[in-house]
Structure formats: structure tokens, C-alpha cells
């Protein structure tokens, strides 16, 4: 069973609460799902990690984790993702955290780890019935030497990771959970080894083998010539074809790239090879893209190892200002009372501002141009179309929810957008018109710029950055 970002554990009552809160512009009692990045410590130093510039050496003290779980459970928390600025298994006391979650009947929807610290006691907790839906292992390499290059650790770590994963699978036995996903990242040095990566995933017994490319991280820490870009599909395509052929019967391979050009070419390749596209995240007939903006401000939150609060993991970067901090004041019981705990932040001004901005986006059908002045709580990825699949990826298959959300938004748009709604309604209408003009210009220029991007990409590494910018226009 694949993870659902907690949606499988969200009952009809909680969905109704979310819909009613969106209609009224108010808060829900608390998040249904949370990402707990309990430590910023990590046992590897991946060169492509997007957390490098926000990572600290801190972790949330265990007693504060227990208090946090009490607060979240009181607000209706049903599931968590354990990930992190560091590796969640590097948290001192992770075994106790797993036990505390189980005592409160909170499901681990996803555990993302490099698995180097996946000990037998931890594995036994994860395979216990009803405790964990998915373990995602970031392997990213085909052998020990490439693992050393990608993860910046000793070569021997690769073998230990494989042993830990094999033990997890053996302990799980014939049970369906936790599902095992193995992730591989491609760059210009290792993409030719994709067939070997796929073979490793199959040998380990992975339920899903996910492949993506190394992506830019803050402060341009990765050289452009080290990353694959839109013009590079022709270089990678022979190896993609090999793994698609190998996976035709098994259906374990998950390929979905950030480059629309790659996905288009990949669809054509699948048709030619009669390799069906796995539908991991289906779309309900009631889902409409205009209603697909993010509603995390009513549904989810992320807690970092230093106590900082975010709407979701996609905004863990130096450019985004956190919505608060759970550890302000030092961490004792008196400080916690003064700080108000998680609930005070959830109902406080920063999360309230986020809900206001996300509600505006929902009313506008996602058609508002990004600017720092306009959006002080929502990140750029929250606003720009196509910038973040997390907005609706896990939810868009819910027929009843999106039917009700669509009816709700149609009603509120008639009441709150346009001249009948006064000055605020006219301002909303004007934002939509500005977006339409801007989008129209981009649509007309894009067919002209993309051939130029491909031509520049073939002219050498010096023009790769310009080619990439044009391809993304």
C-alpha cells in the first residue's frame, strides 16, 4: 500500500471540518497529518541535499516530542511522516518515538531514510501490524563507489545499507506493510547505470523503484554540468528504455520527472514498448485543476529538528521564513506554557495568514501571480502552477471530497469575486485578469523558446544554464 500523506487515515468528519473551515476562512482543530523532522543531524552528507543551508546540529528533546505528540493528538492527528533535515533514524530516542506514536494510534505513513541506521529493533517496530505504511530508502547509487560519491561517506556503508534493507524485508515476510520503496537519483555521472540500479531494487524486493534526477538546491551548490536537464533526454533514453522493457511484467518502476519534455517523451516510449503507465495517484472525475490549489494550511504541518514550523517539507529552504518555533524560550514546562505549545501556533497569526493566502488562491482557481509582497506566508511553490505536485497529488482521487470542494468554491466565487463583493471582490477579479495576460504571453512564447533551448543545450556546458532557464520558461 502506497503512502497517502495521511489521507487514508482522514475520516469523513475531518474532511467535512476542512471543507467548513475553507468556506468560513477559519482554522481546523489541528493537523490531521504532520511531518516530524525531529533531528537536523545526519549520518551522510549527500552532495544534492536541499537541507544543507538550513541544517543545524539540533534535535527536538525527547520530552518535548512527547508533549508535541500529546498536543497534536488532542487536535486530531492521525498520521505522520518521519523524515528530516537529517535522517530520522539518527534521532536519539527514535525507538521511543515509534512507541509513543503506536500508543496514540498514530500511523507512520512514511519513513524516509538512508537505512544505514535501520537496526533490527527499529525494523521490528516498523513491521508490526498497522504501524507503518511505507519505508522509503534513498539509495541513489549502483555500487559502493558511486554511493561514496553521491552520499559522501565510506564505501562500506553501501553494503551495510543493503543488509539492513534485506533484514527489513525478511522481518516483514508476506505482509503487505510496510511497503518498500527504493529511490535512485540520476546525474551526468551515473545515468548510464540506471539498469543496474533497477536490478538492485528488484533484488532487494522493492515494491516500488522510484527514479528521478538530481535537482538544483539553494545557493547554486551543484554545478549545472553535473545535473541533467531538459535537453538531456536523448542521452538517458536508451537506459530508460532498458528498464521499461525489464519492468513490463513487474510494474515496480515509478518514473515521473520534473521536466515536462521528459515525461512527454517517456509516454511516447511507453506506448511504443506497450509498457503501461502505473497509476499511483489516480484522478477522480470530480477533480478540476482550478480547484487543485493547496489546502495544507487546514490539514498538515512540518516540525523541524530545531523546532521551526513550516506548512510542508517543500518549503524547507533558506528563502522561506518559518511560521514559528516550538522551542522558543528554552524548552521547560514553564516555557512551553508561555509559548503555548503547538495549538497556539496553529491558531496564531502566521498560520492564519497562510490560510488566508491559500483561501485566496482557491477562490482564484490558482490564478494569482507570485510576489513576495503579496504572499508573506505561502511559498512560491505554493502559488505558481505546476511548481509543486504535493498540492493535490495524494488527494485528487477523492471523488466525494473534490465534488464538495468544487461546489463550495463555485458558491464562494460567486459571492466573493467580482464587483458584487465590493472592493475586495474587485481586487480578486483584477488579480485573475493580470494572471491571464501573463500566462497568455508565456503560452505563445514557449513553442519558440524550447527549440532554442535544445539547440543551446547541444552547444556545450557553458550554455547549459541558459538552455535550462529557457526550457523552464
Amino acid at each position: 500500500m502506497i503512502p497517502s500523506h495521511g489521507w487514508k487515515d482522514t475520516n469523513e468528519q475531518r474532511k467535512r471540518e476542512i471543507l467548513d473551515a475553507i468556506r468560513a476562512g477559519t482554522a481546523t482543530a489541528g493537523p490531521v497529518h504532520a511531518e516530524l523532522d525531529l533531528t537536523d543531524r545526519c549520518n551522510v552528507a549527500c552532495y544534492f541535499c536541499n537541507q544543507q543551508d538550513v541544517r543545524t546540529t539540533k534535535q527536538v528533546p525527547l520530552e518535548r516530542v512527547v508533549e508535541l505528540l500529546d498536543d497534536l493528538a488532542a487536535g486530531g492527528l492521525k498520521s505522520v511522516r518521519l523524515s528530516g533535515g537529517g535522517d530520522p533514524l539518527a534521532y536519539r530516542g527514535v525507538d521511543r518515538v515509534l512507541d509513543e506514536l503506536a500508543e496514540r494510534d498514530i500511523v507512520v505513513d512514511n519513513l524516509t531514510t538512508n537505512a544505514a541506521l535501520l537496526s533490527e529493533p527499529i525494523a521490528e517496530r516498523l513491521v508490526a501490524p498497522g504501524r507503518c505504511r511505507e519505508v522509503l530508502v534513498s539509495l541513489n547509487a549502483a555500487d559502493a563507489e558511486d554511493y561514496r560519491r553521491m552520499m559522501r561517506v565510506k564505501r562500506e556503508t553501501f553494503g551495510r545499507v543493503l543488509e539492513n534493507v534485506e533484514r527489513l524485508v525478511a522481518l516483514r515476510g508476506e505482509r503487505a506493510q510496510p511497503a518498500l520503496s527504493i529511490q535512485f537519483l540520476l546525474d551526468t555521472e551515473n545515468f548510464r547505470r540506471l539498469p543496474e540500479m533497477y536490478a538492485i531494487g528488484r533484488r532487494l524486493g522493492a515494491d516500488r523503484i522510484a527514479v528521478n534526477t538530481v535537482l538544483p538546491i539553494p545557493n547554486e551548490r551543484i554545478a549545472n554540468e553535473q545535473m541533467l536537464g531538459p535537453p538531456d533526454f536523448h542521452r538517458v533514453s536508451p537506459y530508460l528504455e532498458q528498464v521499461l522493457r525489464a519492468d513490463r511484467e513487474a510494474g515496480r518502476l515509478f518514473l515521473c520527472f520534473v521536466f515536462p519534455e521528459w515525461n512527454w517523451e517517456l509516454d511516447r516510449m511507453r506506448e511504443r514498448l506497450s509498457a503501461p503507465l502505473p497509476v499511483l495517484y489516480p484522478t477522480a472525475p470530480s477533480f478540476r485543476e482550478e480547484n487543485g490549489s493547496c489546502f495544507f494550511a487546514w490539514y498538515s504541518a512540518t516540525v523541524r529538528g530545531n523546532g521551526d514550523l513550516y506548512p510542508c517539507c517543500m518549503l524547507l529552504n533558506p528563502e522561506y521564513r518559518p511560521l514559528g518555533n516550538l522551542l522558543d524560550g528554552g524548552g521547560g514546562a514553564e516555557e512551553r506554557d508561555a509559548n503555548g505549545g503547538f495549538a497556539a501556533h496553529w491558531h496564531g497569526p502566521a498560520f492564519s495568514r497562510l490560510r488566508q493566502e491559500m483561501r485566496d488562491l482557491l477562490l482564484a482557481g490558482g490564478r494569482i501571480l507570485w510576489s513576495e509582497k503579496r504572499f508573506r506566508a505561502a511559498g512560491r511553490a505554493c502559488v505558481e502552477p505546476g511548481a509543486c505536485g504535493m498540492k493535490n497529488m495524494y488527494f485528487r482521487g477523492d471523488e466525494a471530497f473534490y465534488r464538495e470542494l468544487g461546489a463550495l468554491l463555485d458558491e464562494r466565487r460567486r459571492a466573493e469575486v467580482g464587483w458584487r463583493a465590493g472592493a475586495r471582490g474587485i481586487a480578486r477579479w483584477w488579480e485573475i485578469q493580470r494572471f491571464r495576460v501573463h500566462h497568455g504571453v508565456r503560452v505563445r512564447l514557449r513553442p519558440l523558446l524550447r527549440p532554442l533551448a535544445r539547440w543551446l543545450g547541444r552547444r556545450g556546458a557553458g550554455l547549459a544554464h541558459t538552455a535550462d532557464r529557457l526550457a523552464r520558461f
Side-chain angles (χ1 to χ4, degrees):
M1 181 183 294
I2 62 172
S4 67
H5 210 71
W7 201 241
K8 286 186 174 70
D9 301 293
T10 306
N11 61 28
E12 295 307 312
Q13 180 181 354
R14 294 308 303 273
K15 292 175 186 178
R16 168 56 52 196
E17 182 190 8
I18 292 168
L19 291 167
D20 289 345
I22 291 173
R23 176 184 284 108
T26 56
T28 52
V32 184
H33 179 78
E35 176 170 327
L36 304 182
D37 299 351
L38 299 177
T39 182
D40 278 351
R41 299 187 179 103
C42 197
N43 55 317
V44 299
C46 311
Y47 86 82
F48 49 82
C49 180
N50 65 356
Q51 302 295 299
Q52 294 180 41
D53 293 299
V54 295
R55 180 174 293 153
T56 69
T57 58
K58 296 181 179 180
Q59 68 172 28
V60 182
L62 184 58
E63 63 272 15
R64 294 301 296 272
V65 174
V66 175
E67 293 169 351
L68 172 62
L69 292 179
D70 285 338
D71 286 349
L72 292 171
L77 186 75
K78 297 299 180 184
S79 66
V80 297
R81 179 189 182 213
L82 298 178
S83 184
D87 191 283
L89 300 187
Y91 181 77
R92 297 169 187 158
V94 66
D95 51 348
R96 169 81 182 279
V97 173
L98 292 172
D99 293 341
E100 295 285 345
L101 289 167
E103 286 180 14
R104 292 163 179 78
D105 199 26
I106 298 171
V107 175
V108 177
D109 187 66
N110 167 277
L111 170 71
T112 298
T113 177
N114 57 58
L117 300 174
L118 183 55
S119 64
E120 186 170 355
I122 297 301
E124 288 173 342
R125 286 171 167 82
L126 295 174
V127 302
R131 296 279 291 272
C132 181
R133 294 191 187 280
E134 179 194 43
V135 175
L136 190 155
V137 176
S138 298
L139 193 55
N140 302 320
D143 63 17
E145 180 55 32
D146 198 42
Y147 192 83
R148 180 202 61 77
R149 179 184 71 86
M150 295 283 284
M151 314 291 271
R152 306 289 171 86
V153 291
K154 294 180 179 179
R155 299 172 77 257
E156 295 76 19
T157 306
F158 184 72
R160 184 165 70 251
V161 168
L162 298 185
E163 291 174 0
N164 291 346
V165 174
E166 289 167 350
R167 180 173 55 216
L168 175 73
V169 173
L171 288 169
R172 182 186 65 177
E174 299 300 318
R175 283 169 288 191
Q177 294 186 17
L180 173 64
S181 296
I182 305 291
Q183 174 183 277
F184 295 98
L185 294 180
L186 306 179
D187 62 12
T188 55
E189 293 189 45
N190 70 2
F191 70 86
R192 297 174 182 84
R193 307 194 67 182
L194 176 57
E196 297 173 61
M197 297 175 185
Y198 175 78
I200 290 173
R202 291 300 306 276
R203 189 174 73 246
L204 289 173
D207 300 289
R208 181 171 62 154
I209 302 169
V211 179
N212 215 317
T213 58
V214 169
L215 298 174
I217 61 175
N219 297 322
E220 299 183 348
R221 286 183 174 273
I222 307 176
N224 286 317
E225 55 268 22
Q226 195 165 2
M227 294 183 289
L228 297 164
D232 293 312
F233 183 83
H234 70 284
R235 300 171 64 194
V236 185
S237 61
Y239 309 101
L240 289 170
E241 182 166 336
Q242 284 187 48
V243 296
L244 282 172
R245 288 183 184 277
D247 193 62
R248 268 189 294 203
E249 298 300 322
R252 308 292 175 87
L253 194 60
F254 181 64
L255 302 172
C256 186
F257 298 102
V258 296
F259 313 123
E261 301 89 343
W262 282 40
N263 292 324
W264 187 89
E265 295 284 0
L266 197 59
D267 287 345
R268 306 291 78 75
M269 186 183 292
R270 288 182 185 279
E271 291 176 6
R272 178 167 54 83
L273 299 175
S274 299
L277 176 66
V279 182
L280 292 179
Y281 306 107
T283 298
S286 63
F287 177 84
R288 306 195 320 253
E289 288 295 342
E290 66 188 78
N291 301 329
S293 291
C294 187
F295 59 85
F296 274 34
W298 296 271
Y299 176 71
S300 182
T302 294
V303 182
R304 267 194 58 210
N306 66 349
D308 283 344
L309 298 172
Y310 293 79
C312 77
C313 62
M314 300 300 288
L315 296 176
L316 294 174
N317 61 68
E319 289 76 36
Y320 187 81
R321 182 179 179 180
L323 300 177
N325 187 287
L326 283 177
L327 303 183
D328 285 347
E334 293 181 1
E335 289 84 352
R336 175 179 177 274
D337 291 341
N339 197 31
F342 179 84
H345 290 283
W346 183 252
H347 296 279
F351 271 99
S352 295
R353 173 75 189 189
L354 178 68
R355 279 186 280 272
Q356 176 188 326
E357 292 175 0
M358 286 192 169
R359 188 173 186 273
D360 286 345
L361 281 164
L362 284 163
L363 290 173
R367 295 168 297 180
I368 304 179
L369 294 176
W370 157 263
S371 75
E372 290 186 2
K373 182 178 180 180
R374 172 65 177 85
F375 292 99
R376 300 203 298 267
R380 188 171 195 143
C382 308
V383 178
E384 294 186 341
C388 176
M390 290 274 286
K391 295 174 185 176
N392 55 58
M393 177 173 73
Y394 295 101
F395 321 113
R396 60 191 297 148
D398 192 323
E399 170 68 22
F401 179 81
Y402 274 100
R403 183 174 60 249
E404 292 195 45
L405 178 63
L408 180 162
L409 291 175
D410 288 344
E411 170 204 328
R412 298 321 306 162
R413 286 164 185 154
R414 288 191 294 269
E416 298 186 47
V417 180
W419 64 270
R420 290 186 182 86
R424 185 72 186 106
I426 293 171
R428 286 194 173 108
W429 176 86
W430 178 242
E431 285 186 315
I432 294 171
Q433 306 317 307
R434 288 183 61 223
F435 178 91
R436 283 174 169 165
V437 172
H438 177 82
H439 181 67
V441 171
R442 289 187 69 188
V443 168
R444 286 163 177 79
L445 285 179
R446 197 173 291 153
L448 303 176
L449 293 177
R450 287 191 171 167
L452 177 60
R454 289 193 291 270
W455 181 80
L456 288 173
R458 292 193 291 268
R459 304 296 292 179
L463 295 171
H465 182 65
T466 302
D468 185 58
R469 292 288 298 274
L470 289 175
R472 293 172 185 268
F473 181 81

